[in-house]
């Protein structure tokens, strides 16, 4: 059966890319032997005779004389097994019988595998190799693509060394950096991130890294920086506006709908959670606070308190703290999940504050330890911060008992709702000059109302009343402080 | 053709004329008198075989099976004549065209093509036939040969009188190499050390496109004496004369007489390599002139006339030549692409971290690609 | 039991060569003026007298010839140790070194080994004329197939010359001529055991520290140590690594150090431009990218031919330039 082999134009010398076919020495039907010169071609360098790689019968001349063709172009087709041809005798193969007449010649530079390729898809000749259409596709199931061309730090000292290292270099994105040597806790970060940390004043070593292998990323630094800053209460866009401003007026102009967001949302949630969980009981007491008001006036003149705001609220706070000191069981919370009552060893005194955005209850940490002056400072600061809307979440959390100063609005008293997580809240009403029985006679005295709401799950009426009574007693006669503190 | 200077062809040692007649030479004829018909046929056979090999290799290159080929066409007598004087334990340092020497030394000629195929920088183990690899830097190996000879001296294998032990080294190079510094330094070292090395220079008259007149003003053989090295100029197309002068030089070396410089005046009948086009720098007339002095023709004429080459002999030799050609063709076409990672083999003789690491890297890199095709 | 003598670098090498000549009859020394004169630096003093002119050879004045014949001798089983008289004169032999010596094992598919050692006094600071103060080690390190090493101390000179001779690979052995006359303790029982041969490619930490690492080799190791001492008085803790080998380059020891100190300075006499420091800096940057708190700085010669003797100390990396680099990496 006929077997046709094509002879492709080889690179006749060191990188030439094309040649002109000058003269054919054979014609269709001629017998050719291996290495018989069959065509003369002209290259940029010289005139070259090309010998046939095959023995057989010329089947077709593929490139006519005078044509210029590129390296790799088929020149001639030779039937190397013409035995089936009707008229022709089997061609004698004197020299080349055992030359396995493969497809095109396998070039050492080409992609053909040893001796088996008959697809014709091999490159013939040397010189500029066809680089291929584009990038090779990678495997879909990834093997560890080697990360570093420069090779890993082959750390094998000593004669037993087979350089036993993985090619994946430490520090590359696809693999984790080597763990820091024991004893070193210094951060890993790339130069731009280090620069950023420096600019933001972030200590890299204190940042929690989330990058592979414990690398501190840019995001880590930014997040750390933000967390350290006091956060504005508002976290929604448009939070700076009075919350009504975020409402939309109905088409008929008779209603404004305002989405429940931000502080309003949180307040609502807190109220609901508190009011419908803790059974609230409120006890009331009306008291003569003339002496306390005189104390306030005297403190205002006191040089020590010169730079501070001294208000009746300060004295009420101090009084409550002392009452809590005498009745620590009120400084607790009901842990429903654990079925436990948690008594706090500290007093974080919450002060309900009305701000443009709504009600917030920041607390003064460890108020029980503070001197009057410190308490005054804390109150001042707290108020300023709250009004500026800069109260941080940590200041809002972990309160243990709260005072709400309804008197600031001229209200006598109320039934305050507990701050969630607390067991008592004291409402301090307005101070008014009122007729009072003082030393047996009707006199004009400074009078106010106190109200204490408490969580009846853990605070009985007796406890709540006693606490309120203590507060009242101190306010009626501040010198009681000397006796109880 | 009358030439002057380094291309002068007078005064050459000759034992066989271009037409195949024996001529007598008082010094050198005795060195060939022991060569009987068998010995001469053996030389003839090697010359025919190497020419067939050379022709096949040239064709393979033209067919794209080799990137390059450096033909030895026309230089068969110089190479085979000199090689036949060598003992097995002598050591040879060829340049890159001494295919005839390699064949005489017993190498599998298919090995020689590996270099030109681009799959090997060497191709054979030099210690197997005491024949070094081809050196492509011109003249460089002349120093290696001299150093090797200096080692032979230190081995005490010079002047023992025992032909099985006394060892000589031969460095083959061309006319162009005589201009190179290293070649000249080799002559210096060989001379001052009295090293057992023979410098066999085949003046084939062309270094690519430059005639020998560009490498020297005087015949190359005059270099030797300048270094204190005895020198002889021989007809390089005369296999008997080439044999004789080499035999003398080898004897000198082995006996402790030191180096010899042999200039074999021959002709490069083919191109420098298959990338070269001699029509650009020399005349067809010159090539024809030297075709008339073909080294194989003259030996054949002599042997036939002497009745030492019968039709049977010729048939056997032609068959052998054909088989050799087929053998190298087959072996060469079967040479596939080496494994990619083989490029990292033998960079160092001992463990080397960087080479190992880069090998590993490339292995993984290649592994990261989807297999080609679907096979 | 150790036998310790206080020797100069030159004498230490002399002792190492002597020991190699004693141990292996195939060792042959070759070079200009190494025999009768004992070498222009006296490194081979006394050896020809004891081992003969066949083993300690006064060569013709031909560097290429010296190396080329050494290759031939090595091919026949000898272990030649060539001396190139001065660094600036190695270039005639550059062809033999790079095209032949470096590639013979590779070219022969492993059939041939060429265990040639080429000793080259190198570096400056000796007030010499042109071509006598070069540091061409990068040119050789860039050639695969060669090992390129440089001892900094007498002890290392003693063991490393023996290890180089014992190695089956060609070794370019750079001897810091500016330090030839510095003395140090040498344990003469140390020899070319397997550790030393494998260790020929390894660096050594010669001073530990916390704040910055200085890597150096050859003549600049002493400079680095001096810088470390000075820095200590200023409150900076410097770790010094003696690379000992340029090819292979023990970047593992350096990267382990940099992961702790976070800062690296490389010091060599050779020009900074395309010098060994560039290779080390690239590798360390790649492998310690997330550890580095400052870029790797290199201190070395300038991109000029080696200058005249009168101003060579302004060219060479001295204490001020090294400490300046230390300051700059700390300032980052």
């Amino acid at each position: 059966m006929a077997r046709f082999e094509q002879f492709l134009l080889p690179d006749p010398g060191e990188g030439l890319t094309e040649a002109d076919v000058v003269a054919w020495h054979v014609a269709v039907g001629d017998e050719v032997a291996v290495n018989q010169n069959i065509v003369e071609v002209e290259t940029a360098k010289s005139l070259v005779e090309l010998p046939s790689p095959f023995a057989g019968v010329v089947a077709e001349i593929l490139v006519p004389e005078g044509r210029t063709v590129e390296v790799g172009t088929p020149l001639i087709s030779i039937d190397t097994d013409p035995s089936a041809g009707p008229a022709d005798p089997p061609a004698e193969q004197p020299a080349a019988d055992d030359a396995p007449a493969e497809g095109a010649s396998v070039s050492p530079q080409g992609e053909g595998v040893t001796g088996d390729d008959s697809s014709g898809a091999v490159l013939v000749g040397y010189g500029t190799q066809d680089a291929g259409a584009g990038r090779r596709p990678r495997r879909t199931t990834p093997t560890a693509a080697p990360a570093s061309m420069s090779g890993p730090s082959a750390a094998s000292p000593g004669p037993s060394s087979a350089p036993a290292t993985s090619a994946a270099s430490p520090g590359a994105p696809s693999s984790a950096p080597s763990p820091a040597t024991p004893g070193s806790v210094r951060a890993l970060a790339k130069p731009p991130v280090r620069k950023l940390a420096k600019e933001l004043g972030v200590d890299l070593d204190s940042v929690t890294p989330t990058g592979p292998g414990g690398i501190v990323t840019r995001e880590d630094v930014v997040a750390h920086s933000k967390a350290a800053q006091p956060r504005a209460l508002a976290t929604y866009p448009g939070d700076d506006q009075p919350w009504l401003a975020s409402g939309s007026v109905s088409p008929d102009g008779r209603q404004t709908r305002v989405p429940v967001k931000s502080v309003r949302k949180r307040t609502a949630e807190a109220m609901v959670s508190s009011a419908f969980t803790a059974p609230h009981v409120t006890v009331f007491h009306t008291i003569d606070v003339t002496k306390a008001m005189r104390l306030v006036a005297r403190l205002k003149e006191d040089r020590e308190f010169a730079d501070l705001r001294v208000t009746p609220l300060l004295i009420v706070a101090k009084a409550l703290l002392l009452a809590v000191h005498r009745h620590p069981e009120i400084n607790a919370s009901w842990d429903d999940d654990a079925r436990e009552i948690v008594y706090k060893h500290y007093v974080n005194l919450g002060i309900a504050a009305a701000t443009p955005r709504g009600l917030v209850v920041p607390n003064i940490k460890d108020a029980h330890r503070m001197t009057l002056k410190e308490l005054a400072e804390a109150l001042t600061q707290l108020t300023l911060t709250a009004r500026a809307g800069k109260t941080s979440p940590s200041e809002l959390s972990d309160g243990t008992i709260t005072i709400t100063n309804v008197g600031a609005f001229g209200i006598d008293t109320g039934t305050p709702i507990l701050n969630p997580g607390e067991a008592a809240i004291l409402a301090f009403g307005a101070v008014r000059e009122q007729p009072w029985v003082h030393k047996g006679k009707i006199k004009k005295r400074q009078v106010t109302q106190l109200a204490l709401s408490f969580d009846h799950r853990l605070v009985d009426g007796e406890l709540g009343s006693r606490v309120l009574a203590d507060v009242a007693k101190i306010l009626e006669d501040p010198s009681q402080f000397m006796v109880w503190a | 053709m009358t030439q002057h200077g380094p291309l002068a062809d007078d005064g050459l040692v000759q034992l066989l004329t271009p037409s195949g007649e024996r001529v007598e030479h008082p010094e050198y004829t005795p060195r060939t008198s022991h060569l009987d018909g068998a010995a001469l046929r053996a030389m003839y056979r090697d010359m025919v075989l190497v020419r067939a090999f050379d022709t096949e290799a040239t064709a393979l290159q033209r067919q794209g099976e080799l990137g390059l080929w450096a033909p030895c066409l026309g230089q068969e007598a110089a190479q085979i004549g000199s090689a036949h004087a060598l003992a097995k334990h002598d050591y040879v340092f060829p340049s890159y065209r001494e295919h005839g020497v390699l064949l005489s030394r017993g190498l599998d000629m298919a090995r020689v093509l590996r270099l030109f195929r681009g799959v090997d920088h060497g191709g054979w183990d030099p210690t197997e036939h005491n024949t070094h690899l081809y050196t492509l830097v011109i003249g460089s190996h002349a120093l290696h040969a001299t150093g090797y000879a200096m080692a032979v001296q230190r081995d005490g294998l010079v002047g023992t009188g025992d032909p099985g032990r006394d060892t000589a080294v031969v460095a083959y190079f061309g006319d162009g190499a005589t201009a190179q510094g290293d070649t000249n330094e080799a002559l210096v070292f060989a001379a001052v050390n009295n090293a057992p090395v023979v410098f066999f220079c085949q003046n084939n008259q062309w270094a690519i496109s430059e005639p020998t007149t560009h490498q020297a003003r005087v015949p190359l053989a005059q270099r030797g004496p300048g270094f204190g090295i005895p020198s002889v100029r021989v007809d390089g197309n005369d296999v008997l004369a080439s044999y004789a002068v080499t035999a003398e030089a080898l004897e000198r070396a082995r006996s402790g007489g030191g180096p010899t410089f042999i200039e074999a005046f021959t002709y490069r009948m083919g191109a420098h390599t298959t990338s070269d086009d001699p029509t650009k720098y020399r005349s067809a007339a010159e090539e024809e002139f030297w075709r008339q002095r073909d080294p194989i023709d003259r030996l054949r004429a002599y042997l036939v006339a002497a009745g030492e080459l019968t039709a049977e002999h010729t048939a056997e030799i032609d068959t052998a030549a054909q088989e050799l050609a087929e053998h190298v063709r087959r072996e060469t076409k079967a040479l596939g692409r080496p494994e990619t990672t083989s490029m990292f083999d033998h960079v160092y003789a001992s463990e080397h971290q960087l080479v190992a690491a880069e090998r590993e890297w490339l292995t993984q890199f290649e592994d990261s690609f989807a297999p080609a095709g679907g096979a | 039991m150790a036998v310790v003598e206080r020797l100069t670098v030159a004498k230490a090498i002399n002792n190492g060569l002597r020991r190699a000549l004693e141990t292996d009859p195939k060792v042959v020394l070759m070079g200009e003026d190494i025999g009768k004169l004992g070498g222009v630096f006296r490194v081979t003093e006394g050896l020809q007298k004891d081992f003969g002119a066949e083993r300690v050879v006064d060569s013709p004045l031909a560097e290429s010839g010296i190396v080329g014949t050494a290759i031939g001798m090595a091919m026949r089983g000898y272990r030649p140790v060539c001396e190139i008289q001065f660094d600036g004169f190695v270039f005639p032999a550059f062809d033999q070194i790079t095209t032949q010596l470096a590639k013979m094992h590779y070219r022969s598919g492993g059939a041939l080994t060429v265990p040639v050692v080429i000793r080259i006094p190198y570096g400056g600071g000796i007030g010499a004329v042109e071509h006598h103060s070069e540091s061409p080690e990068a040119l050789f390190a860039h050639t695969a197939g060669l090992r390129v090493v440089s001892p900094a101390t007498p002890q290392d000179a003693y063991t490393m010359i023996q290890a180089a001779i014992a190695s089956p690979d060609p070794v370019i052995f750079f001897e810091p001529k500016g330090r030839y006359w510095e003395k140090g303790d040498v344990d003469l029982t140390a020899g070319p055991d397997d550790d030393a041969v494998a260790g020929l490619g390894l660096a050594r930490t010669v001073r530990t520290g916390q704040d910055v690492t200085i890597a150096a080799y050859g003549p600049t190791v002493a400079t680095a140590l001096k810088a470390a001492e000075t820095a200590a008085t200023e409150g900076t803790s410097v770790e010094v690594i003696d690379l000992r080998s340029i090819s292979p380059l023990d970047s593992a020891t350096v990267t382990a150090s940099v992961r702790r100190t976070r800062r690296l300075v490389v010091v060599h006499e050779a020009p900074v431009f395309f010098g060994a420091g560039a290779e080390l800096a690239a590798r360390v940057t790649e492998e310690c990218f997330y550890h580095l708190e400052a870029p790797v700085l290199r201190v070395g010669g300038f991109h000029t031919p080696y200058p005249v003797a009168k101003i060579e100390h302004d060219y060479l990396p001295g204490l001020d330039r090294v400490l300046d680099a230390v300051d700059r990496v700390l300032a980052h």
Side-chain angles (χ1 to χ4, degrees):
Chain A
M1 190 167 96
R3 188 172 171 193
F4 297 100
E5 307 287 3
Q6 288 185 340
F7 179 27
L8 284 67
L9 177 67
D11 168 12
E14 290 172 355
L16 294 171
T17 57
E18 62 179 30
D20 303 336
V21 175
V22 171
W24 282 103
H25 303 314
V26 294
V28 173
D30 286 353
E31 271 183 47
V32 293
V34 169
N35 291 349
Q36 175 183 336
N37 283 341
I38 54 174
V39 64
E40 192 176 30
V41 302
E42 180 160 20
T43 70
K45 277 189 171 187
S46 58
L47 216 47
V48 175
E49 292 280 3
L50 297 184
S52 172
F54 311 113
V57 175
V58 177
E60 195 183 348
I61 305 283
L62 300 170
V63 179
E65 290 173 2
R67 179 88 61 84
T68 303
V69 290
E70 284 182 355
V71 166
T73 306
L75 294 172
I76 186 172
S77 176
I78 293 172
D79 182 358
T80 58
D81 188 7
S83 46
D88 299 21
E92 276 160 347
Q93 328 278 357
D97 275 1
D98 22 48
E102 268 110 24
S105 319
V106 176
S107 150
Q109 299 277 55
E111 301 302 309
V113 179
T114 307
D116 73 336
D117 196 281
S118 57
S119 66
V122 289
L123 195 65
V124 181
Y126 293 73
T128 51
Q129 195 174 359
D130 179 9
R135 294 181 69 169
R136 289 180 282 168
R138 299 264 183 167
R139 273 179 202 273
T140 45
T141 51
T143 60
S148 155
M149 173 55 188
S150 62
S153 33
S156 55
S160 59
S161 51
T165 60
S166 69
S169 161
S174 63
S175 67
S178 311
T181 49
S184 156
V185 290
R186 288 161 74 179
L188 306 178
K190 59 185 176 186
V193 174
R194 290 185 185 272
K195 183 167 182 245
L196 177 67
K198 212 180 211 176
E199 284 168 4
L200 293 179
V202 171
D203 173 16
L204 264 182
D205 293 334
S206 67
V207 176
T208 308
T210 65
I215 300 172
V216 175
T217 65
R218 169 174 283 268
E219 290 72 30
D220 293 338
V221 169
V222 169
H224 190 272
S225 172
K226 275 197 186 148
Q229 285 162 16
R231 264 211 314 240
L233 204 57
T235 55
Y236 295 93
D239 249 8
D240 284 345
Q241 315 303 322
W243 73 285
L244 269 178
S246 61
S248 54
V249 182
S250 65
D252 61 7
R254 287 162 67 84
Q255 297 174 8
T256 299
R257 287 191 155 261
V258 182
V260 176
K261 284 202 249 206
S262 182
V263 178
R264 174 57 43 202
K265 178 170 190 263
R266 286 196 283 277
T267 305
E269 283 166 357
M271 292 300 157
V272 165
S273 130
S274 188
F276 300 125
T277 312
H280 282 58
V281 171
T282 311
V283 290
F284 301 88
H285 204 358
T286 309
I287 47 173
D288 171 4
V289 294
T290 309
K291 281 186 180 160
M293 295 306 285
R294 279 190 203 134
L295 175 58
V296 170
R298 206 183 74 239
L299 288 173
K300 279 182 177 169
E301 300 306 313
D302 191 324
R303 212 161 17 149
E304 275 219 43
F305 289 80
D307 296 324
L308 297 167
R309 275 201 71 212
V310 179
T311 60
L313 178 59
L314 174 64
I315 307 304
V316 171
K318 203 67 172 138
L320 178 60
L321 287 168
L322 182 52
V324 167
H325 173 70
R326 282 165 53 80
H327 304 281
E329 312 85 43
I330 197 130
N331 188 45
S333 65
W334 180 270
D335 183 342
D336 208 48
D337 296 325
R339 308 303 306 183
E340 288 170 351
I341 298 170
V342 184
Y343 294 99
K344 313 286 170 65
H345 298 254
Y346 54 92
V347 181
N348 288 349
L349 179 64
I351 306 290
T355 73
R357 289 180 206 87
L359 168 70
V360 294
V361 189
N363 56 74
I364 299 166
K365 308 287 188 207
D366 292 323
H368 63 297
R369 282 215 240 269
M370 289 183 173
T371 63
L372 191 63
K373 183 165 176 212
E374 286 165 347
L375 196 57
E377 281 164 357
L379 266 175
T380 308
Q381 191 57 44
L382 176 151
T383 315
L384 284 171
T385 307
R387 292 226 180 97
K390 292 230 188 303
T391 309
S392 71
S394 58
E395 286 166 294
L396 293 174
S397 66
D398 200 24
T400 62
I401 193 164
T402 299
I403 303 175
T404 174
N405 185 8
V406 300
F409 306 113
I411 301 301
D412 291 342
T413 190
T415 53
I417 296 181
L418 294 168
N419 203 21
E422 295 175 18
I425 180 167
L426 177 70
F428 171 42
V431 177
R432 265 196 264 279
E433 207 174 37
Q434 285 184 351
W436 193 260
V437 178
H438 180 66
K439 293 185 176 153
K441 301 214 168 84
I442 302 288
K443 288 279 170 82
K444 285 190 284 190
R445 301 291 282 183
Q446 304 280 8
V447 175
T448 189
Q449 293 206 42
L450 300 172
L452 186 77
S453 292
F454 52 84
D455 182 344
H456 211 303
R457 292 177 297 183
L458 59 143
V459 180
D460 293 340
E462 183 184 348
L463 173 60
S465 301
R466 284 198 193 281
V467 170
L468 190 59
D470 281 2
V471 175
K473 190 115 195 200
I474 297 165
L475 289 174
E476 281 172 341
D477 184 2
S479 65
Q480 189 62 33
F481 218 95
M482 290 285 290
V483 179
W484 282 345
Chain B
M1 269 186 179
T2 336
Q3 298 281 351
H4 300 285
L7 291 175
D9 61 357
D10 54 326
L12 301 171
V13 171
Q14 190 181 71
L15 298 176
L16 199 61
T17 67
S19 51
E21 281 137 23
R22 280 300 283 261
V23 292
E24 294 288 308
H25 191 292
E27 280 177 63
Y28 293 106
T29 302
R31 295 215 173 254
T32 62
S33 43
H34 66 287
L35 296 174
D36 60 2
L40 296 174
R41 265 193 305 280
M43 289 185 187
Y44 176 75
R45 189 176 191 278
D46 278 355
M47 289 166 75
V48 170
L49 254 53
V50 79
R51 186 165 287 185
F53 164 77
D54 198 60
T55 306
E56 184 65 40
T58 303
L60 285 170
Q61 193 283 332
R62 291 273 178 255
Q63 290 155 2
E65 299 291 348
L66 299 176
L68 188 74
W69 181 243
C72 63
L73 184 69
Q75 298 176 226
E76 296 88 350
Q79 294 183 8
I80 281 149
S82 59
H84 272 241
L86 292 166
K88 273 202 157 23
H89 57 274
D90 291 330
Y91 212 94
V92 168
F93 284 82
S95 62
Y96 53 80
R97 202 190 292 281
E98 281 73 28
H99 319 315
V101 175
L102 268 51
L103 185 128
S104 299
R105 298 289 278 168
L107 266 76
D108 173 2
M109 297 310 286
R111 293 301 203 114
V112 182
L113 297 185
R114 292 187 177 192
L115 172 67
F116 298 91
R117 176 95 163 157
V119 301
D120 204 317
H121 280 321
W124 63 91
D125 180 347
T127 61
E128 279 177 11
H129 295 93
N130 289 334
T131 303
H132 189 49
L133 306 172
Y134 278 169
T135 299
L136 305 184
V137 176
I138 303 293
S140 200
H141 62 295
L143 279 171
H144 307 159
T146 302
Y148 196 93
M150 288 160 63
V152 167
Q153 287 176 301
R154 283 159 174 79
D155 285 348
L157 296 175
V158 178
T160 68
D162 178 353
R165 299 183 67 225
D166 283 338
T167 302
V169 183
V170 182
Y172 288 90
F173 49 82
D175 41 284
T178 61
Q180 274 283 359
D182 278 5
T183 310
N184 286 278
E185 291 192 24
L187 295 173
V188 167
F189 277 69
V192 300
N193 286 286
N194 205 44
V197 56
V198 176
F199 296 102
F200 194 98
C201 173
Q202 293 163 78
N203 180 2
N204 66 13
Q205 305 184 42
W206 292 100
I208 307 188
S209 68
E210 292 187 15
T212 314
T213 46
H214 284 245
Q215 318 296 350
R217 266 181 75 133
V218 296
L220 300 177
Q222 288 188 22
R223 269 171 167 51
F227 291 90
I229 296 176
S231 181
V232 60
R233 215 159 172 255
V234 65
D235 180 346
N237 282 12
D238 175 347
V239 69
L240 297 181
S242 300
Y243 174 91
V245 300
T246 307
E248 178 194 53
L250 290 169
E251 184 186 290
R252 177 179 294 123
R254 293 199 193 101
S255 63
T260 306
F261 187 97
I262 298 173
E263 181 193 349
F265 192 73
T266 176
Y267 190 76
R268 194 195 73 202
M269 283 169 65
H272 166 67
T273 66
T274 46
S275 297
D276 181 34
D277 179 11
T279 65
K280 297 253 184 325
Y281 53 80
R282 67 188 194 186
S283 70
E286 179 186 291
E287 291 181 1
E288 181 54 35
F289 177 84
W290 283 94
R291 207 166 294 125
Q292 302 302 319
R293 285 155 173 72
D294 187 298
I296 298 181
D297 287 347
R298 69 171 80 174
L299 181 60
R300 181 189 311 111
Y302 169 73
L303 288 173
V304 166
E308 292 289 1
L309 192 68
T310 66
E312 274 149 12
H313 291 140
T314 309
E316 186 276 319
I317 289 169
D318 286 346
T319 304
Q322 210 170 291
E323 279 170 4
L324 176 60
E326 283 165 19
H327 168 69
V328 300
R329 177 175 205 81
R330 191 171 45 242
E331 291 291 306
T332 300
K333 289 177 78 128
L335 287 173
R337 187 184 183 277
E339 284 297 318
T340 297
T341 50
S342 68
M343 78 174 78
F344 298 101
D345 295 340
H346 309 301
V347 181
Y348 293 89
S350 55
E351 284 283 347
H352 196 282
Q353 307 137 277
L354 182 60
V355 174
E358 291 191 343
R359 177 205 296 266
E360 179 61 27
W361 186 91
L362 186 58
T363 302
Q364 287 200 14
F365 180 77
E366 289 297 327
D367 219 39
S368 73
F369 291 98
Chain C
M1 202 186 85
V3 173
V4 178
E5 274 186 41
R6 198 152 176 78
L7 300 174
T8 61
V9 169
K11 209 73 185 119
I13 298 171
N14 181 277
N15 276 272
L17 291 170
R18 174 176 292 276
R19 194 158 154 180
L21 285 161
E22 281 166 358
T23 317
D24 185 351
K26 294 294 196 181
V27 173
V28 175
L29 311 189
M30 356 194 328
E32 295 156 22
D33 306 294
I34 65 163
K36 202 144 178 156
L37 182 65
V40 294
F41 290 103
R42 306 294 184 273
V43 176
T44 52
E45 191 163 47
L47 297 177
Q48 189 183 66
K49 187 164 70 56
D50 293 340
F51 295 96
E54 292 283 290
R55 296 192 67 198
V56 182
V57 181
D58 275 323
S59 301
L61 214 170
E63 284 77 13
S64 190
I66 292 170
V67 175
T69 52
I71 291 171
M73 291 184 72
M75 281 176 56
R76 195 162 166 104
Y78 283 80
R79 295 193 103 90
V81 182
C82 304
E83 179 180 298
I84 300 293
Q85 199 162 81
F86 282 94
D87 38 71
F89 304 137
V90 72
F91 299 104
F94 197 73
D95 183 325
Q96 284 288 340
I97 294 171
T98 54
T99 71
Q100 305 305 321
L101 186 61
K103 297 174 170 53
M104 197 65 81
H105 189 69
Y106 190 74
R107 181 182 305 148
S108 65
L112 300 170
T113 59
V114 277
V116 176
V117 176
I118 301 182
R119 295 178 38 241
I120 306 180
Y122 84 123
I126 62 166
V129 290
E130 228 188 334
H131 313 301
H132 290 67
S133 310
E134 309 292 312
S135 291
E137 58 273 15
L139 302 173
F140 297 97
H142 199 52
T143 304
L146 299 174
R147 288 186 181 265
V148 181
V149 303
S150 181
T153 62
Q155 179 69 69
D156 268 354
Y158 180 70
T159 52
M160 284 170 70
I161 187 64
Q162 295 180 67
I165 293 171
S167 170
D169 291 316
V171 181
I172 315 295
F173 193 86
F174 279 103
E175 302 171 359
K177 71 170 92 68
R179 306 280 180 202
Y180 264 154
W181 313 121
E182 289 181 5
K183 293 195 180 152
D185 286 336
V186 178
D187 172 11
L188 292 169
T189 62
D193 54 14
D194 283 353
D195 270 344
V197 173
L200 197 57
L202 295 183
R204 182 188 299 120
T205 304
V206 293
R207 182 188 170 111
T208 53
Q210 263 66 274
D211 300 330
V212 57
T213 303
I214 300 181
Y217 58 89
T220 53
V221 174
T223 314
L225 284 170
K226 189 132 183 285
E229 275 161 31
T230 308
T233 68
E234 296 165 2
T236 302
S237 166
V238 175
E239 179 147 303
V240 178
I241 296 177
D242 176 358
L243 291 171
R244 303 192 334 141
S245 172
I246 307 305
S247 176
L249 188 63
D250 184 5
S251 55
T253 298
V254 179
T255 53
S257 171
V258 172
R259 285 196 194 101
R260 278 183 294 105
T261 64
R262 312 308 186 93
R263 295 176 174 85
L264 177 64
V265 171
V266 189
V267 185
H268 51 58
E269 285 194 9
V272 166
F273 190 65
F274 276 87
E279 177 66 30
L280 187 58
R283 274 179 197 272
V284 168
T285 301
E286 188 170 348
E287 295 186 21
C288 300
F289 190 63
Y290 296 96
H291 294 78
L292 285 168
E293 293 184 12
V296 177
L297 294 185
R298 301 163 290 157
V299 185
F302 303 109
H303 186 56
T304 69
Y306 196 88
V308 295
K310 289 293 185 194
I311 54 173
E312 69 176 326
H313 287 283
D314 295 334
Y315 170 96
L316 291 171
L319 195 63
D320 285 335
R321 293 238 297 277
V322 176
L323 288 172
D324 171 68
V326 168
D327 290 343
R328 283 189 285 133
V329 294
L330 287 171
H332 268 268

